[in-house]
Structure formats: C-alpha cells, structure tokens
Amino acid sequence: MSSTINEKPGQLDDPTSTDIVDPIIQGIRISDLPYPLNPIGAGQVSDWRPLLLSCWSEQRDETVVHLLNSVSVTWTVTQVNSAYMADRIMDAFLETSGLNVVLARQVARLRFFLAWRLSEEGGQALDECLRHWLDSLAEWRGWSDSGGRSSRALLDQLDAMVIAVAASFEQQSLSPFRDFCDQWQRDAQRRAERSVKLRERLLQSESGIARQRRADQTAKAAVGRALANRHLPLAVANFIHDYWLPLMRQVAFSNGVDAAQWRHANKLLEWLVWIGDATLSGGEDERLYQVGEQISDKLADVWTQSMGGAMADGATAAVESVIVARLRGEPLELASTSGNGRFEYDESWLAFSKPSQADVGSVSGRWFVEGSGASEQRRYFFALLEETNEVLWTNGFGVKLGTTSWSDFVEARNKGLLRILPATRQFQDVLRESVIELHQNYQSQLEQRQKAARAAKDQAEALRSRIEAAEARKREELELERREAERAQAEQEQQQREQREAEALRAHRKKDWRPANR
C-alpha cells in the first residue's frame, strides 16, 4: 500500500488503479445497503445484468442502489458495493460537471453500465475509453436543449450511445461501446476542423453585415436628425430620401463617419434642409442665390466621388425649381418631415462609443447562461462586432445564435439575467475525488476493524490469562489439599505406628513382669 500513497496524506498516485478500487468494492460497508446476511457461494450469485440492461434501455433515472432495494433478491457484497460506487461517481458528475442538466442527466444513466463493469472487472472498469469519452463531453458544455439542428445532432449521437451500451450488455463485451467511442472521436475531429472554417466565415460575414448596418443606421440617424421638426417642400424631401440617404449610407460604409467625404455629405444635407425650410433661409435671398448656383454641382461632385458614377440626369432639377420658387417668392406646398413613416431612426448611432478593450476582453470567448434547469439556454461570446457594438453569440462551433447590443448585454448581466457559465469539471477529477473519499472511508473502516480485532484479541488474551490464573490457583489449591491430605494421612499412620509400638511395648513389659516362682 505504501507504494501508492504520496507524501501528502489522503492523496493517491492513481486512485483508479485496481490496487485502490478492488479493496473498496470487496471490503467497504455502507449503512442501509442491502448486504447479504451470510456469505453467498459462487453458484448462488444472482445475475443482475438483465435487470441493469432493462433499466438502461428504458433510460431510467433511478440509482442502482434503489434498484437493488426494490427487488427481493440477495445480492453479493461485490454487487452492492459496485452499485454504490457507480452511483457515487455518476451523482457527483451529474452535480458538478457544469453540463446542461438534460445532458448530464442522460450521461449519468451510465451508472447501470458502470456498476456492471465494476462488479466484473473492478478497477479495470475505469479504463481510458470510458474516462476519455466522458472528458470529451466538455466540448459540449455550451449545449442547450433548444430543439435546433445542432442540439438534435448531439441527442442523436447519445441515442447511438444507448444502442452501443445495450449491445455491450447483451454481448457481455466492451467492443460495441469502444467502437462507439472511436466513432465519437472521429466525429469530434471532423467537427473541430469544420468549426474552424465556420468561425472564420461567420466572423467575416457578420462583420460585413455589421458594417452595412452601422452605415445604414448612421445615415438614417443623420438624415432623421436633420429633418426633425422641419417643414420642407416635397421635392426637397424626396431628393433627400431617394438620393442623399443612399449616398450617405454608401459613404458611411466605404469611408466611415470620420472621413472628409462624410463631413461633405453631411454639410450638403444641412444645405438642402436650409434651402427647403423658409424658417431657416427666409430673408436671405442673396445667400440663397449663391447656394443655388453651386448646390447642383456640389451634389453631383460628391455623388460621383462616393457612388462611382454620375448622378441621373435631372436628379437635382426639383431642388433647383424649389430654389427658383423661393427666390421669386412663389408659395410652396410644405410637408412635415417628422413622423412621416418613411423610415425609423435611432439618433444614438451618431454618438457611437466603443467599450474598453479590457471590458470586452474579460468576457470575450466565454460561455454565458440564461435561465436555469432544463430550460436554460447557453451561448458563446464569440466576438464583439465593433461596427455596431453588438455581441455575436454562437453555439461554440461557429453557428450563429443571435446578436445583442453591448448595452443590453451589460444590463442583463447587472440584473443577473445573464451569467458567466462556471468552468466544467473533468470526469477524471470527479472520479479521482469520489474514489479518494471512498478510499479514505474504507481505510477508516479498515482501521476500525483492525482496532476492534486488536481489542477482541486483547480481551481474549486477558480472558485466557484470567482463566489460566484461575486454573493455576485451582491447581495450587488442589495441590495444597493433596499435600494436607498426605500430611494428615502420614500423621495418622505415624500415630498408628506409635500406638502399635506402644501396645507392643506394654505387652512385652507385661510378659517380663510375671513372678518367677510361678
């Protein structure tokens, strides 16, 4: 045992080795488990494989120990402890893996398979095939039961796992399960290669879309702000909507809002509004005349530079006619440009500010979860689309789940609606901790048994000593009694001899005393 224990108490070099696991399965005792009252002979062991297979095929969520208690069968110590160990390991994995509860619950049903293998192979049941497959589930930490295509793909693979494990039960062989693990690994490799390409394409396409969206929203905001609360001739309003809005959208997309072309386009927009709104240009005929002389050329120049071609013939004619009418003092039919339903705009796009790199870096590339339990939804912070300040969410494999504005993202986090997903725990870590705890429990029981054995031995030795002492005293008493009896008998015999001698002496004296004359 010393070869498997580190210098630090309670730590094992390899807690899943047969030297550690097998003694636990054979020797640990847990209260309230259905252990046999008497040893079971080899020919009397109940075959629990069909029962475990039935529960696996039905994908039941009960524990193996509960199953053993639910039937009137006498189970061996190995079966009971294998059931307990399988439940202990898979329950810990279910609670601490960090996987979606639906996924973790389905994987935890492997407890039936694991219990059977532990009873057959002991520590060898915890081989690399099983451990590596369970560890590979960390790739799916962001999986949610959304019912989508990617969600269904994993469930289909797990259905294949159910079939493979059932085949292993029926054939009493690990080959079907190992074949499934090999195929799983090949699929994971292909998925990883495909995901790299999907991520690249997604970021490229979404960045382009974001750039277009920012250009569109910024152009609308600039036009909407310029037209707010204005009354313009319909010809000017139509020109702005039909020509200048598309131009500003193109300028924002191609050159950005910090470029000189954007400033020129925005300035001409202001001149168009000034021309059309008498409250702005009324009483300034000379200036209106000067602007009128130049406006068409300037509009055409900016159009050509920005759009890559000449403006349509007569495009500015309506604007010119408005200027002429204004200079002549002719009445113009005005229309309100506020709330005319032509487009909606958000002026905040004009005050666009980016979050700090530190703030983005602290959350980029991390998993987030919304909701809880079976209804929770997980998403991966793939990138921040800088053009729109939007969080691009994916499923972790390059498939878009949606976008959220940075402000909404921050608000959801502050309200606790969106939480960072804790790191997943590897199955090997869960396995190691579970076995170490069981090993410590078993060692404690073993020490208690050894202590009890020593105490029983000491009690037996003390009893033997007391019995021997009592027997010795009894022998001494008997010896004393024997010696006393011998002494008494010797004294009696001595007295009898002395009496006989005295009687003989008296008889002799009496004979010698008779008178001689007689």
Side-chain angles (χ1 to χ4, degrees), residues 259-307:
Q261 282 183 276
W262 172 263
R263 292 194 296 272
H264 293 161
N266 200 50
K267 188 64 176 177
L268 287 172
L269 172 64
E270 294 175 358
W271 280 116
L272 287 169
V273 175
W274 182 83
I275 290 170
D277 194 337
T279 62
L280 297 175
S281 56
E284 297 192 36
D285 291 352
E286 183 177 351
R287 190 180 181 190
L288 181 60
Y289 179 79
Q290 294 174 352
V291 171
E293 284 187 324
Q294 304 175 28
I295 190 69
S296 294
D297 293 338
K298 289 185 177 295
L299 292 173
D301 289 344
V302 173
W303 181 276
T304 301
Q305 293 173 11
S306 304
M307 306 299 284

Short mmCIF file of all heavy atoms in Angstrom, two decimals, residues 259-307:
data_model
loop_
_atom_site.label_atom_id
_atom_site.label_comp_id
_atom_site.label_asym_id
_atom_site.label_seq_id
_atom_site.Cartn_x
_atom_site.Cartn_y
_atom_site.Cartn_z
N ALA A 259 -14.47 60.25 -42.06
CA ALA A 259 -13.81 60.67 -43.31
C ALA A 259 -14.33 62.03 -43.77
O ALA A 259 -15.44 62.47 -43.41
CB ALA A 259 -14.05 59.62 -44.39
N ALA A 260 -13.52 62.69 -44.61
CA ALA A 260 -13.89 64.01 -45.13
C ALA A 260 -15.14 63.93 -45.98
O ALA A 260 -15.99 64.85 -45.98
CB ALA A 260 -12.74 64.59 -45.94
N GLN A 261 -15.31 62.82 -46.72
CA GLN A 261 -16.48 62.68 -47.59
C GLN A 261 -17.77 62.67 -46.78
O GLN A 261 -18.80 63.17 -47.23
CB GLN A 261 -16.36 61.42 -48.45
CG GLN A 261 -15.42 61.59 -49.64
CD GLN A 261 -15.40 60.34 -50.49
OE1 GLN A 261 -14.68 59.40 -50.21
NE2 GLN A 261 -16.21 60.34 -51.54
N TRP A 262 -17.71 62.06 -45.58
CA TRP A 262 -18.91 62.04 -44.74
C TRP A 262 -19.25 63.46 -44.28
O TRP A 262 -20.42 63.86 -44.30
CB TRP A 262 -18.70 61.13 -43.53
CG TRP A 262 -19.80 61.22 -42.52
CD1 TRP A 262 -19.83 61.96 -41.38
CD2 TRP A 262 -21.08 60.57 -42.58
NE1 TRP A 262 -21.02 61.83 -40.71
CE2 TRP A 262 -21.81 60.97 -41.43
CE3 TRP A 262 -21.67 59.70 -43.49
CZ2 TRP A 262 -23.09 60.52 -41.18
CZ3 TRP A 262 -22.96 59.25 -43.22
CH2 TRP A 262 -23.66 59.66 -42.09
N ARG A 263 -18.23 64.21 -43.92
CA ARG A 263 -18.47 65.59 -43.49
C ARG A 263 -19.05 66.43 -44.63
O ARG A 263 -19.96 67.24 -44.43
CB ARG A 263 -17.18 66.20 -42.96
CG ARG A 263 -16.69 65.58 -41.65
CD ARG A 263 -15.61 66.43 -41.02
NE ARG A 263 -14.41 66.49 -41.85
CZ ARG A 263 -13.41 65.60 -41.78
NH1 ARG A 263 -13.50 64.57 -40.95
NH2 ARG A 263 -12.34 65.75 -42.55
N HIS A 264 -18.52 66.22 -45.86
CA HIS A 264 -19.05 66.96 -47.01
C HIS A 264 -20.50 66.58 -47.27
O HIS A 264 -21.35 67.45 -47.53
CB HIS A 264 -18.21 66.65 -48.26
CG HIS A 264 -16.81 67.20 -48.15
ND1 HIS A 264 -15.77 66.75 -48.94
CD2 HIS A 264 -16.28 68.17 -47.35
CE1 HIS A 264 -14.67 67.40 -48.62
NE2 HIS A 264 -14.96 68.27 -47.66
N ALA A 265 -20.79 65.29 -47.23
CA ALA A 265 -22.16 64.84 -47.49
C ALA A 265 -23.10 65.37 -46.42
O ALA A 265 -24.25 65.79 -46.73
CB ALA A 265 -22.20 63.32 -47.53
N ASN A 266 -22.66 65.36 -45.18
CA ASN A 266 -23.50 65.84 -44.09
C ASN A 266 -23.73 67.35 -44.20
O ASN A 266 -24.83 67.86 -43.91
CB ASN A 266 -22.85 65.49 -42.75
CG ASN A 266 -23.85 65.49 -41.60
OD1 ASN A 266 -24.90 64.87 -41.69
ND2 ASN A 266 -23.53 66.24 -40.55
N LYS A 267 -22.69 68.08 -44.66
CA LYS A 267 -22.83 69.52 -44.83
C LYS A 267 -23.83 69.85 -45.94
O LYS A 267 -24.68 70.75 -45.79
CB LYS A 267 -21.46 70.13 -45.17
CG LYS A 267 -21.46 71.66 -45.18
CD LYS A 267 -21.77 72.19 -43.78
CE LYS A 267 -21.67 73.71 -43.75
NZ LYS A 267 -22.03 74.26 -42.43
N LEU A 268 -23.76 69.11 -47.03
CA LEU A 268 -24.71 69.32 -48.12
C LEU A 268 -26.13 68.97 -47.69
O LEU A 268 -27.10 69.60 -48.16
CB LEU A 268 -24.30 68.50 -49.34
CG LEU A 268 -23.07 69.03 -50.10
CD1 LEU A 268 -22.63 68.04 -51.17
CD2 LEU A 268 -23.39 70.40 -50.74
N LEU A 269 -26.27 67.98 -46.81
CA LEU A 269 -27.59 67.65 -46.26
C LEU A 269 -28.15 68.84 -45.50
O LEU A 269 -29.34 69.19 -45.64
CB LEU A 269 -27.49 66.43 -45.34
CG LEU A 269 -28.75 66.08 -44.53
CD1 LEU A 269 -29.89 65.68 -45.46
CD2 LEU A 269 -28.45 64.95 -43.54
N GLU A 270 -27.30 69.47 -44.72
CA GLU A 270 -27.74 70.64 -43.97
C GLU A 270 -28.15 71.78 -44.91
O GLU A 270 -29.12 72.49 -44.66
CB GLU A 270 -26.62 71.12 -43.04
CG GLU A 270 -26.29 70.12 -41.94
CD GLU A 270 -25.10 70.57 -41.11
OE1 GLU A 270 -24.52 71.63 -41.43
OE2 GLU A 270 -24.76 69.87 -40.14
N TRP A 271 -27.41 71.96 -46.04
CA TRP A 271 -27.76 72.98 -47.01
C TRP A 271 -29.10 72.68 -47.68
O TRP A 271 -29.89 73.61 -47.94
CB TRP A 271 -26.66 73.11 -48.08
CG TRP A 271 -25.48 73.93 -47.64
CD1 TRP A 271 -24.21 73.51 -47.46
CD2 TRP A 271 -25.49 75.32 -47.32
NE1 TRP A 271 -23.40 74.54 -47.04
CE2 TRP A 271 -24.18 75.68 -46.95
CE3 TRP A 271 -26.48 76.31 -47.30
CZ2 TRP A 271 -23.82 76.96 -46.58
CZ3 TRP A 271 -26.13 77.60 -46.92
CH2 TRP A 271 -24.81 77.91 -46.56
N LEU A 272 -29.35 71.41 -47.97
CA LEU A 272 -30.63 71.04 -48.57
C LEU A 272 -31.78 71.38 -47.64
O LEU A 272 -32.84 71.89 -48.09
CB LEU A 272 -30.64 69.54 -48.91
CG LEU A 272 -29.78 69.11 -50.11
CD1 LEU A 272 -29.67 67.58 -50.16
CD2 LEU A 272 -30.38 69.64 -51.41
N VAL A 273 -31.62 71.10 -46.37
CA VAL A 273 -32.66 71.44 -45.40
C VAL A 273 -32.81 72.95 -45.28
O VAL A 273 -33.92 73.49 -45.22
CB VAL A 273 -32.33 70.81 -44.02
CG1 VAL A 273 -33.35 71.27 -42.97
CG2 VAL A 273 -32.33 69.30 -44.12
N TRP A 274 -31.68 73.64 -45.27
CA TRP A 274 -31.71 75.11 -45.17
C TRP A 274 -32.43 75.71 -46.37
O TRP A 274 -33.21 76.65 -46.22
CB TRP A 274 -30.26 75.61 -45.12
CG TRP A 274 -30.14 77.10 -44.96
CD1 TRP A 274 -30.21 77.79 -43.80
CD2 TRP A 274 -29.93 78.05 -46.00
NE1 TRP A 274 -30.05 79.15 -44.04
CE2 TRP A 274 -29.88 79.34 -45.39
CE3 TRP A 274 -29.79 77.96 -47.40
CZ2 TRP A 274 -29.68 80.50 -46.12
CZ3 TRP A 274 -29.58 79.12 -48.11
CH2 TRP A 274 -29.53 80.39 -47.48
N ILE A 275 -32.18 75.16 -47.56
CA ILE A 275 -32.84 75.64 -48.77
C ILE A 275 -34.35 75.46 -48.68
O ILE A 275 -35.12 76.35 -49.03
CB ILE A 275 -32.29 74.91 -50.01
CG1 ILE A 275 -30.84 75.34 -50.29
CG2 ILE A 275 -33.18 75.17 -51.23
CD1 ILE A 275 -30.16 74.50 -51.35
N GLY A 276 -34.76 74.30 -48.19
CA GLY A 276 -36.19 73.97 -48.22
C GLY A 276 -36.99 74.60 -47.11
O GLY A 276 -38.20 74.82 -47.25
N ASP A 277 -36.36 74.88 -45.98
CA ASP A 277 -37.09 75.37 -44.82
C ASP A 277 -37.00 76.90 -44.76
O ASP A 277 -35.94 77.48 -44.51
CB ASP A 277 -36.52 74.77 -43.53
CG ASP A 277 -37.45 74.99 -42.35
OD1 ASP A 277 -38.27 75.94 -42.40
OD2 ASP A 277 -37.34 74.23 -41.38
N ALA A 278 -38.12 77.58 -45.00
CA ALA A 278 -38.15 79.05 -45.03
C ALA A 278 -37.82 79.66 -43.68
O ALA A 278 -37.38 80.81 -43.60
CB ALA A 278 -39.52 79.52 -45.51
N THR A 279 -38.07 78.89 -42.60
CA THR A 279 -37.74 79.43 -41.28
C THR A 279 -36.24 79.57 -41.09
O THR A 279 -35.77 80.30 -40.21
CB THR A 279 -38.31 78.53 -40.17
OG1 THR A 279 -37.71 77.23 -40.28
CG2 THR A 279 -39.82 78.41 -40.30
N LEU A 280 -35.47 78.85 -41.91
CA LEU A 280 -34.01 78.91 -41.82
C LEU A 280 -33.43 79.90 -42.84
O LEU A 280 -32.50 80.67 -42.54
CB LEU A 280 -33.40 77.52 -42.03
CG LEU A 280 -33.75 76.45 -41.00
CD1 LEU A 280 -33.17 75.10 -41.43
CD2 LEU A 280 -33.24 76.82 -39.61
N SER A 281 -33.93 79.84 -44.06
CA SER A 281 -33.34 80.65 -45.15
C SER A 281 -34.18 81.87 -45.55
O SER A 281 -33.79 82.62 -46.45
CB SER A 281 -33.14 79.76 -46.38
OG SER A 281 -34.36 79.15 -46.76
N GLY A 282 -35.31 82.06 -44.91
CA GLY A 282 -36.15 83.20 -45.27
C GLY A 282 -35.44 84.53 -45.02
O GLY A 282 -34.77 84.71 -44.01
N GLY A 283 -35.57 85.44 -45.97
CA GLY A 283 -34.95 86.74 -45.84
C GLY A 283 -33.50 86.78 -46.24
O GLY A 283 -32.85 87.82 -46.10
N GLU A 284 -32.95 85.67 -46.71
CA GLU A 284 -31.54 85.64 -47.13
C GLU A 284 -31.48 85.27 -48.61
O GLU A 284 -30.85 84.29 -49.00
CB GLU A 284 -30.76 84.64 -46.28
CG GLU A 284 -30.70 84.99 -44.80
CD GLU A 284 -29.70 84.17 -44.04
OE1 GLU A 284 -28.62 83.86 -44.61
OE2 GLU A 284 -29.98 83.81 -42.88
N ASP A 285 -32.13 86.08 -49.42
CA ASP A 285 -32.22 85.77 -50.85
C ASP A 285 -30.85 85.76 -51.52
O ASP A 285 -30.57 84.92 -52.39
CB ASP A 285 -33.12 86.79 -51.55
CG ASP A 285 -34.57 86.62 -51.14
OD1 ASP A 285 -34.86 85.63 -50.46
OD2 ASP A 285 -35.39 87.47 -51.50
N GLU A 286 -29.99 86.69 -51.14
CA GLU A 286 -28.67 86.74 -51.78
C GLU A 286 -27.87 85.47 -51.50
O GLU A 286 -27.27 84.89 -52.41
CB GLU A 286 -27.90 87.96 -51.30
CG GLU A 286 -26.55 88.12 -52.00
CD GLU A 286 -25.84 89.38 -51.58
OE1 GLU A 286 -26.44 90.22 -50.88
OE2 GLU A 286 -24.66 89.52 -51.94
N ARG A 287 -27.93 85.07 -50.28
CA ARG A 287 -27.21 83.85 -49.93
C ARG A 287 -27.87 82.64 -50.58
O ARG A 287 -27.20 81.71 -51.02
CB ARG A 287 -27.18 83.68 -48.41
CG ARG A 287 -26.24 82.57 -47.94
CD ARG A 287 -26.25 82.47 -46.44
NE ARG A 287 -25.35 81.43 -45.99
CZ ARG A 287 -25.28 80.98 -44.75
NH1 ARG A 287 -26.09 81.51 -43.83
NH2 ARG A 287 -24.44 80.03 -44.42
N LEU A 288 -29.20 82.65 -50.62
CA LEU A 288 -29.93 81.56 -51.26
C LEU A 288 -29.55 81.48 -52.73
O LEU A 288 -29.40 80.38 -53.29
CB LEU A 288 -31.43 81.78 -51.09
CG LEU A 288 -32.36 80.71 -51.70
CD1 LEU A 288 -32.09 79.35 -51.05
CD2 LEU A 288 -33.82 81.11 -51.51
N TYR A 289 -29.40 82.65 -53.35
CA TYR A 289 -28.99 82.68 -54.76
C TYR A 289 -27.60 82.07 -54.94
O TYR A 289 -27.38 81.29 -55.87
CB TYR A 289 -29.02 84.12 -55.26
CG TYR A 289 -28.60 84.26 -56.70
CD1 TYR A 289 -29.47 83.96 -57.75
CD2 TYR A 289 -27.31 84.68 -57.02
CE1 TYR A 289 -29.07 84.07 -59.07
CE2 TYR A 289 -26.90 84.79 -58.34
CZ TYR A 289 -27.78 84.50 -59.36
OH TYR A 289 -27.37 84.61 -60.68
N GLN A 290 -26.68 82.43 -54.06
CA GLN A 290 -25.32 81.91 -54.16
C GLN A 290 -25.29 80.39 -53.95
O GLN A 290 -24.60 79.66 -54.67
CB GLN A 290 -24.43 82.59 -53.13
CG GLN A 290 -24.22 84.08 -53.39
CD GLN A 290 -23.45 84.76 -52.28
OE1 GLN A 290 -23.19 84.16 -51.24
NE2 GLN A 290 -23.10 86.03 -52.51
N VAL A 291 -26.03 79.96 -52.99
CA VAL A 291 -26.09 78.50 -52.75
C VAL A 291 -26.72 77.80 -53.93
O VAL A 291 -26.28 76.74 -54.37
CB VAL A 291 -26.89 78.22 -51.45
CG1 VAL A 291 -27.14 76.72 -51.31
CG2 VAL A 291 -26.15 78.76 -50.24
N GLY A 292 -27.77 78.42 -54.49
CA GLY A 292 -28.44 77.82 -55.64
C GLY A 292 -27.53 77.66 -56.83
O GLY A 292 -27.67 76.70 -57.61
N GLU A 293 -26.61 78.59 -57.02
CA GLU A 293 -25.68 78.50 -58.14
C GLU A 293 -24.73 77.31 -58.01
O GLU A 293 -24.28 76.75 -59.01
CB GLU A 293 -24.87 79.79 -58.25
CG GLU A 293 -25.62 80.97 -58.84
CD GLU A 293 -24.71 82.15 -59.06
OE1 GLU A 293 -23.80 82.36 -58.21
OE2 GLU A 293 -24.88 82.87 -60.05
N GLN A 294 -24.42 76.93 -56.77
CA GLN A 294 -23.38 75.92 -56.56
C GLN A 294 -23.93 74.54 -56.14
O GLN A 294 -23.22 73.54 -56.28
CB GLN A 294 -22.42 76.39 -55.46
CG GLN A 294 -21.79 77.75 -55.73
CD GLN A 294 -20.96 78.22 -54.56
OE1 GLN A 294 -20.42 77.41 -53.80
NE2 GLN A 294 -20.86 79.54 -54.40
N ILE A 295 -25.12 74.52 -55.61
CA ILE A 295 -25.60 73.30 -54.96
C ILE A 295 -25.64 72.11 -55.90
O ILE A 295 -25.24 71.01 -55.54
CB ILE A 295 -26.98 73.55 -54.32
CG1 ILE A 295 -27.37 72.36 -53.42
CG2 ILE A 295 -28.04 73.81 -55.37
CD1 ILE A 295 -26.53 72.24 -52.20
N SER A 296 -26.10 72.31 -57.14
CA SER A 296 -26.22 71.17 -58.05
C SER A 296 -24.86 70.57 -58.36
O SER A 296 -24.68 69.34 -58.40
CB SER A 296 -26.94 71.60 -59.34
OG SER A 296 -28.27 71.96 -59.08
N ASP A 297 -23.88 71.45 -58.64
CA ASP A 297 -22.54 70.95 -58.95
C ASP A 297 -21.93 70.22 -57.76
O ASP A 297 -21.30 69.16 -57.91
CB ASP A 297 -21.64 72.11 -59.36
CG ASP A 297 -22.05 72.72 -60.71
OD1 ASP A 297 -22.74 72.00 -61.47
OD2 ASP A 297 -21.70 73.88 -60.96
N LYS A 298 -22.11 70.81 -56.58
CA LYS A 298 -21.54 70.16 -55.40
C LYS A 298 -22.21 68.81 -55.12
O LYS A 298 -21.55 67.83 -54.76
CB LYS A 298 -21.67 71.07 -54.18
CG LYS A 298 -20.76 72.29 -54.23
CD LYS A 298 -20.84 73.09 -52.95
CE LYS A 298 -19.88 74.27 -52.98
NZ LYS A 298 -18.46 73.84 -53.02
N LEU A 299 -23.51 68.77 -55.27
CA LEU A 299 -24.22 67.49 -55.10
C LEU A 299 -23.72 66.45 -56.10
O LEU A 299 -23.48 65.28 -55.74
CB LEU A 299 -25.73 67.69 -55.25
CG LEU A 299 -26.43 68.51 -54.16
CD1 LEU A 299 -27.89 68.75 -54.56
CD2 LEU A 299 -26.36 67.81 -52.80
N ALA A 300 -23.54 66.88 -57.35
CA ALA A 300 -23.09 65.95 -58.40
C ALA A 300 -21.67 65.48 -58.13
O ALA A 300 -21.34 64.30 -58.34
CB ALA A 300 -23.19 66.63 -59.76
N ASP A 301 -20.79 66.41 -57.67
CA ASP A 301 -19.39 66.03 -57.41
C ASP A 301 -19.30 64.99 -56.29
O ASP A 301 -18.60 63.98 -56.42
CB ASP A 301 -18.58 67.27 -57.02
CG ASP A 301 -18.34 68.19 -58.21
OD1 ASP A 301 -18.53 67.73 -59.36
OD2 ASP A 301 -18.00 69.37 -57.98
N VAL A 302 -19.99 65.26 -55.20
CA VAL A 302 -19.95 64.31 -54.07
C VAL A 302 -20.56 62.97 -54.49
O VAL A 302 -20.09 61.90 -54.10
CB VAL A 302 -20.67 64.90 -52.85
CG1 VAL A 302 -20.78 63.85 -51.74
CG2 VAL A 302 -19.93 66.14 -52.35
N TRP A 303 -21.60 63.04 -55.28
CA TRP A 303 -22.23 61.79 -55.76
C TRP A 303 -21.24 60.98 -56.58
O TRP A 303 -21.11 59.76 -56.38
CB TRP A 303 -23.46 62.13 -56.57
CG TRP A 303 -24.17 60.90 -57.09
CD1 TRP A 303 -23.87 60.21 -58.21
CD2 TRP A 303 -25.26 60.21 -56.48
NE1 TRP A 303 -24.70 59.12 -58.37
CE2 TRP A 303 -25.58 59.11 -57.31
CE3 TRP A 303 -26.02 60.43 -55.33
CZ2 TRP A 303 -26.60 58.22 -57.01
CZ3 TRP A 303 -27.05 59.56 -55.04
CH2 TRP A 303 -27.34 58.46 -55.87
N THR A 304 -20.58 61.63 -57.52
CA THR A 304 -19.64 60.92 -58.38
C THR A 304 -18.51 60.30 -57.57
O THR A 304 -18.11 59.15 -57.80
CB THR A 304 -19.06 61.88 -59.44
OG1 THR A 304 -20.14 62.43 -60.21
CG2 THR A 304 -18.09 61.17 -60.36
N GLN A 305 -17.97 61.06 -56.61
CA GLN A 305 -16.87 60.55 -55.79
C GLN A 305 -17.31 59.37 -54.93
O GLN A 305 -16.55 58.41 -54.73
CB GLN A 305 -16.34 61.67 -54.89
CG GLN A 305 -15.65 62.81 -55.63
CD GLN A 305 -15.31 63.96 -54.71
OE1 GLN A 305 -15.39 63.85 -53.48
NE2 GLN A 305 -14.94 65.10 -55.29
N SER A 306 -18.51 59.44 -54.43
CA SER A 306 -18.97 58.43 -53.47
C SER A 306 -19.61 57.22 -54.14
O SER A 306 -19.43 56.08 -53.69
CB SER A 306 -19.98 59.05 -52.50
OG SER A 306 -19.41 60.16 -51.85
N MET A 307 -20.36 57.44 -55.22
CA MET A 307 -21.14 56.37 -55.82
C MET A 307 -20.45 55.75 -57.03
O MET A 307 -20.95 54.77 -57.58
CB MET A 307 -22.52 56.88 -56.21
CG MET A 307 -23.27 57.55 -55.06
SD MET A 307 -23.56 56.44 -53.64
CE MET A 307 -24.91 55.47 -54.30
#
